[in-house]
Amino acid sequence: MSGEHHTIELPSSPLPNTALADDALPADSLRTDALPAAAPAGDMVATAAHGLPAIDEPPPLLLGELTLPAERESVPRARRFSRSVTVASGIAHIRDDAEVLVSELVTNAVRHATVSGAALRLRLLRAGTRLRVEVHDHGTGVPRPRRVDLMEETGRGWFLVAVMADRHGTDHTPSGKSVWCEVRAWPRDEHPGH
């Protein structure tokens, strides 16, 4: 498994705050009506392994989106949201892996937020056969691999993402950045034993 890091400029477009239902989340932080058929045009382009647009891949399908404050309490909310989206999307077989990836990306965004409580946006998308997890924030700092001390309580997040995900990286956007990772999720029969 190899990680990818690339920087591209994406056009700015306001996105609706849509999500699949999760009874544990406050109504003001998610919408359950009318999920869009696909990610908004121009917001993200499917990419092949070399980082260029894939010709035969359809645009990513938005499965759910949640806006959270950059606070520690947002991490368990993001995990619950991830669990509800993966189950509702028929990919419960990767629910635990998706929760870990969401937890690590959101934790990293909270820890390195430029302003405590600033808005973060968690997006879960279907990108071909992969589940794509994105965390958008207003910061410009990019996660960097560092020497991992397995005896330390912190500092393993990006390492875990690199090990667990099929692909991962950072995209710079007009409003900050998106840190993302992808893991194979469809079809289910490609995951023996689940």
Side-chain angles (χ1 to χ4, degrees):
M1 291 181 215
S2 66
E4 295 177 7
H5 174 83
H6 62 275
T7 302
I8 58 173
E9 287 295 323
L10 298 174
S12 177
S13 63
L15 297 172
N17 188 17
T18 58
L20 297 174
D22 182 350
D23 296 333
L25 299 174
D28 64 342
S29 66
L30 71 110
R31 281 185 26 207
T32 58
D33 59 331
L35 284 176
D43 186 53
M44 185 175 76
V45 176
T47 57
H50 46 69
L52 298 175
I55 295 172
D56 59 346
E57 233 177 86
L61 174 68
L62 181 63
L63 302 173
E65 183 174 85
L66 178 66
T67 299
L68 301 159
E71 299 170 350
R72 288 185 340 172
E73 295 78 19
S74 294
V75 177
R77 289 181 59 209
R79 283 194 302 260
R80 287 191 304 270
F81 176 74
S82 170
R83 188 177 322 125
S84 70
V85 170
T86 54
V87 169
S89 300
I91 54 171
H93 58 284
I94 64 155
R95 178 186 63 214
D96 294 341
D97 288 351
E99 275 187 65
V100 170
L101 293 168
V102 163
S103 181
E104 294 303 334
L105 293 184
V106 171
T107 297
N108 196 43
V110 167
R111 290 190 80 172
H112 299 288
T114 54
V115 176
S116 180
L120 305 174
R121 187 175 55 202
L122 170 62
R123 299 179 81 206
L124 301 176
L125 303 106
R126 179 174 181 168
T129 60
R130 296 175 308 277
L131 173 68
R132 182 176 175 105
V133 176
E134 298 178 349
V135 176
H136 296 254
D137 65 41
H138 298 290
T140 56
V142 179
R144 303 213 183 276
R146 64 181 195 161
R147 191 175 152 166
V148 176
D149 183 348
L150 296 177
M151 299 307 288
E152 292 293 321
E153 288 189 33
T154 62
R156 294 183 299 268
W158 196 239
F159 172 77
L160 282 173
V161 170
V163 169
M164 293 178 68
D166 297 322
R167 300 172 52 193
H168 65 281
T170 303
D171 295 334
H172 289 280
T173 66
S175 62
K177 70 176 177 301
S178 166
V179 179
W180 58 270
C181 64
E182 295 178 351
V183 62
R184 186 168 299 280
W186 292 275
R188 179 189 163 99
D189 59 352
E190 290 185 15
H191 299 277
H194 289 98

